[in-house]
């Protein structure tokens, strides 16, 4: 589809919206970004994009624009909830609207590997990118991992495949979007501040398979009971032994044959074993041998804030899992530890229920330190089963309390189990502040 000389509104001035606007501008479209954030917060962006010929309208003026001005089409950024008035105004006016993911797909010149799941997306996307490039398959990682798909899609003509991390928010608006290979890492409660129910969240996620055919592949977590798929399947699980990939005594097997020992990698925990299985599955369906795939996977080092070992202080290991933004991530982080744990948890109240974690927390943890908006609620759930200390809205106090509670041989695990926006800019800001506090502890 050509957008040349059309008037296009892009909703949202975040990374995806900005990338979509630039892509459309390169296609000779007349582009306006609308964002309801206050104009003074977007001042630098307004000036920079304006110098490139892209108009930005902010604040109440953006909402007014959505009810009165004429546009040929609208591009929705994944961070914008479709229920907000800015979006609903265009829907009521029946102006064509697609998501940023769909826009980039329309312009993509090579097949796509699409990776989704509640947890593990970014690690798996990076693993796939590293492995494929090392094996001579040209790819770049983009999408929810950053940079946005629309920021990298012009490179697709020189690539063999694009590796795209895809969130449920991006999948909400797909139409023709199609993955030659889809990866489903697993499903667990999350984003209940955006969705009305788990069923609504699941319905968005499952759309990754929507346009696949019998010529395509789906690499899926065996433990999730998915509906019948058109694509051919490769299954994996680190927790049961019936999938194509399974984990036996710390070694990943494929259909009974040992492939990769976890001890040979820089990753820890069964959840990362599943990320590696999914990655190996991607290579397998592309015809790569395990002898080719395993060496780059052994070399991979995880990103910060994902069960990142920071330091050992007086026999206590400190682990930063700030990327743990839902209860499922806490569960997986706890399962990856064999020693007694002092857990630091809590943050923004996203509507999660923590009752299901109680038995695991009581079994694995010496004590818990709670913090943030959810501190009181989590404390009330867990305090009957183990010692719980409340740090209120102070990460510094949480670190001090954990330091006093931990004993030599323990692990202090910072796995909040919810998002960071009650106290921090994002999970990375939260993790960086935690790292700085831990590094400042006296040896």
């Amino acid at each position: 589809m050509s957008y040349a000389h059309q008037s296009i509104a892009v909703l949202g001035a975040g990374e995806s919206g900005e990338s979509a606007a630039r892509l459309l501008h390169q296609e000779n479209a007349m582009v306006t970004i609308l964002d309801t954030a206050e104009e003074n917060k977007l001042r630098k962006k307004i000036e920079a994009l304006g110098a490139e010929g892209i108009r930005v309208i902010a604040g109440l003026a953006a909402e007014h624009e959505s009810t009165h001005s004429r546009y040929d089409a609208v591009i929705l950024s994944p961070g914008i909830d479709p229920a907000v008035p800015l979006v609903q105004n265009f829907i009521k006016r029946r102006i064509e609207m697609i998501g940023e993911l769909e826009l980039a797909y329309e312009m993509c010149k090579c097949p796509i590997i699409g990776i989704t799941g509640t947890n593990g997306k970014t690690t798996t996307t990076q693993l796939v990118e590293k492995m494929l490039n090392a094996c001579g398959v040209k790819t770049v990682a983009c999408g929810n991992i950053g940079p946005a798909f629309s920021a990298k899609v012009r490179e697709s003509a020189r690539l063999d495949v694009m590796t795209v991390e895809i969130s449920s928010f991006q999948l909400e608006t797909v139409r023709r979007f199609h993955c030659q290979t889809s990866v489903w890492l697993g499903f667990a409660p999350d984003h209940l501040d955006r969705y009305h129910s788990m069923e609504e969240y699941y319905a968005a996620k499952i759309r990754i398979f929507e346009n696949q055919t019998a010529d395509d592949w789906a690499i899926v977590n065996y433990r999730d009971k998915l509906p019948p798929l058109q694509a051919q399947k490769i299954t994996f699980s680190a927790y049961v032994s019936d999938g194509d990939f399974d984990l036996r005594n710390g070694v990943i097997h494929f259909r009974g044959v040992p492939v990769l020992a976890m001890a040979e990698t820089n990753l820890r925990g069964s959840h990362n074993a599943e990320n590696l299985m999914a990655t190996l599955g991607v290579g397998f369906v592309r015809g790569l041998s395990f002898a080719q795939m395993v060496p780059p996977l052994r070399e991979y080092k995880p990103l910060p804030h994902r069960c990142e070992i920071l330091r050992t202080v007086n026999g206590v290991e400190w682990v930063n899992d700030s990327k743990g933004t839902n209860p499922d991530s806490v569960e997986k982080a706890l399962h990856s530890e064999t020693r007694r744990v002092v857990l630091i948890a809590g943050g923004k109240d996203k509507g999660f229920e923590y009752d299901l974690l109680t038995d695991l927390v009581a079994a694995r943890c010496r004590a818990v330190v709670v913090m943030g908006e959810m501190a009181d609620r989590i404390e009330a759930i867990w305090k009957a089963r183990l010692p719980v200390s409340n740090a209120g809205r102070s990460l510094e106090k949480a670190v001090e309390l954990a330091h006093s509670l931990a004993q030599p041989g323990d692990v202090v695990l910072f796995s909040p189990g919810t998002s960071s926006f009650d106290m921090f800019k994002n999970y990375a800001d939260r993790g960086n502040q935690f790292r700085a506090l831990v590094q400042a502890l006296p040896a």
Side-chain angles (χ1 to χ4, degrees):
M1 178 178 178
S2 173
Y3 290 94
H5 311 300
Q6 291 195 38
S7 178
I8 311 295
V10 175
L11 308 188
E15 182 179 352
S16 293
E18 191 174 333
S19 298
R22 287 196 169 99
L23 179 62
L24 287 162
H25 184 65
Q26 291 165 3
E27 295 288 312
N28 296 313
M30 296 172 287
V31 186
T32 302
I33 296 178
L34 306 181
D35 195 302
T36 55
E38 295 177 12
E39 186 171 322
N40 64 333
K41 293 183 178 180
L42 297 176
R43 176 59 57 193
K44 290 182 179 179
K45 189 165 289 193
I46 291 170
E47 293 174 355
L49 289 167
E52 298 176 33
I54 298 171
R55 186 171 60 147
V56 180
I57 299 176
L60 292 175
E63 199 163 313
H64 181 270
E65 182 82 0
S66 69
T67 61
H68 293 86
S69 295
R70 174 65 192 168
Y71 290 96
D72 297 305
V74 176
I75 310 300
L76 178 62
S77 298
I80 306 296
D81 190 334
V84 302
L86 181 67
V87 181
Q88 288 298 312
N89 290 339
F90 283 109
I91 292 174
K92 290 173 184 176
R93 295 169 64 197
R94 298 188 177 182
I95 297 176
E96 181 184 9
M97 181 182 299
I98 63 171
E100 179 265 339
L101 182 73
E102 191 79 11
L103 170 70
Y105 170 73
E106 289 178 352
M107 301 185 188
C108 189
K109 306 298 184 186
C110 67
I112 294 167
I113 298 167
I115 299 170
T116 199
T118 302
N119 295 308
K121 294 186 297 295
T122 297
T123 297
T124 304
T125 301
Q126 283 204 323
L127 284 165
V128 169
E129 180 188 40
K130 181 175 181 65
M131 179 191 72
L132 291 183
N133 281 321
C135 294
V137 180
K138 291 181 288 186
T139 190
V140 295
C142 58
N144 194 57
I145 189 176
F149 187 13
S150 53
K152 304 300 287 185
V153 72
R154 283 186 170 271
E155 298 181 25
S156 62
R158 65 171 184 80
L159 299 173
D160 298 308
V161 66
M162 291 204 80
T163 302
V164 185
E165 178 186 327
I166 308 172
S167 71
S168 60
F169 300 166
Q170 292 170 301
L171 288 165
E172 289 172 0
T173 53
V174 296
R175 295 182 184 178
R176 294 176 295 275
F177 176 78
H178 167 254
C179 301
Q180 186 185 70
T181 303
S182 61
V183 177
W184 176 276
L185 293 168
F187 180 79
D190 202 351
H191 301 304
L192 296 180
D193 50 345
R194 167 105 167 212
Y195 297 107
H196 294 107
S197 66
M198 283 281 289
E199 290 74 20
E200 188 178 333
Y201 172 43
Y202 180 83
K205 277 282 191 201
I206 205 74
R207 297 193 70 187
I208 193 169
F209 305 115
E210 194 167 289
N211 295 313
Q212 287 199 291
T213 71
D215 294 325
D216 300 319
W217 286 92
I219 317 299
V220 301
N221 193 307
Y222 182 83
R223 292 203 300 169
D224 283 8
K225 304 305 179 186
L226 300 173
L229 305 179
Q230 293 295 316
Q232 306 167 76
K233 286 197 303 183
I234 293 288
T235 60
F236 63 88
S237 175
Y239 301 95
V240 297
S241 59
D242 297 326
D244 292 302
F245 287 94
D246 62 15
L247 186 66
R248 308 178 191 181
N249 299 317
V251 178
I252 294 172
H253 287 66
F254 179 69
R255 296 173 181 169
V257 178
V259 172
L260 174 62
M262 290 297 294
E264 298 173 355
T265 74
N266 295 302
L267 296 168
R268 60 195 290 180
S270 298
H271 59 295
N272 275 320
E274 292 196 331
N275 296 337
L276 287 162
M277 292 174 189
T279 303
L280 290 163
V282 168
F284 177 80
V285 303
R286 292 197 62 85
L288 300 176
S289 70
F290 292 116
Q292 290 174 284
M293 293 187 280
V294 163
L297 298 183
R298 287 175 176 151
E299 295 173 1
Y300 173 83
K301 293 184 179 179
L303 288 170
H305 317 300
R306 293 160 174 83
C307 289
E308 173 193 12
I309 301 171
L310 298 179
R311 63 181 294 212
T312 298
V313 182
N314 299 325
V316 175
E317 186 174 83
W318 290 74
V319 176
N320 171 21
D321 190 39
S322 181
K323 186 63 173 67
T325 55
N326 52 56
D328 183 66
S329 60
V330 179
E331 179 180 354
K332 288 176 175 175
L334 285 172
H335 276 302
S336 72
E337 297 296 346
T338 58
R339 293 159 292 176
R340 296 292 280 174
V341 174
V342 174
L343 174 66
I344 304 176
K348 181 177 173 57
D349 193 340
K350 295 171 68 177
F352 295 141
E353 297 299 331
Y354 286 78
D355 303 70
L356 294 177
L357 285 175
T358 303
D359 288 344
L360 176 64
V361 169
R364 295 294 180 96
C365 296
R366 179 182 304 283
V368 174
V369 178
V370 293
M371 55 174 276
E373 194 174 280
M374 288 204 66
D376 293 344
R377 189 151 75 85
I378 299 176
E379 180 182 13
I381 295 169
W382 289 347
K383 67 181 181 181
R385 298 289 300 277
L386 77 166
V388 179
S389 299
N390 196 321
R393 295 178 64 86
S394 171
L395 179 58
E396 183 176 7
K397 185 177 179 182
V399 170
E400 290 175 358
L401 287 167
H403 185 51
S404 67
L405 291 164
Q407 298 180 17
D410 287 352
V411 174
V412 174
L413 173 64
F414 181 51
S415 190
T418 187
S419 65
S420 57
F421 301 120
D422 59 332
M423 294 168 58
F424 308 93
K425 294 178 184 177
N426 48 45
Y427 77 84
D429 175 41
R430 176 171 66 184
N432 288 335
Q433 290 192 39
F434 177 72
R435 184 192 296 110
L437 289 167
V438 172
Q439 295 298 348
L441 289 172

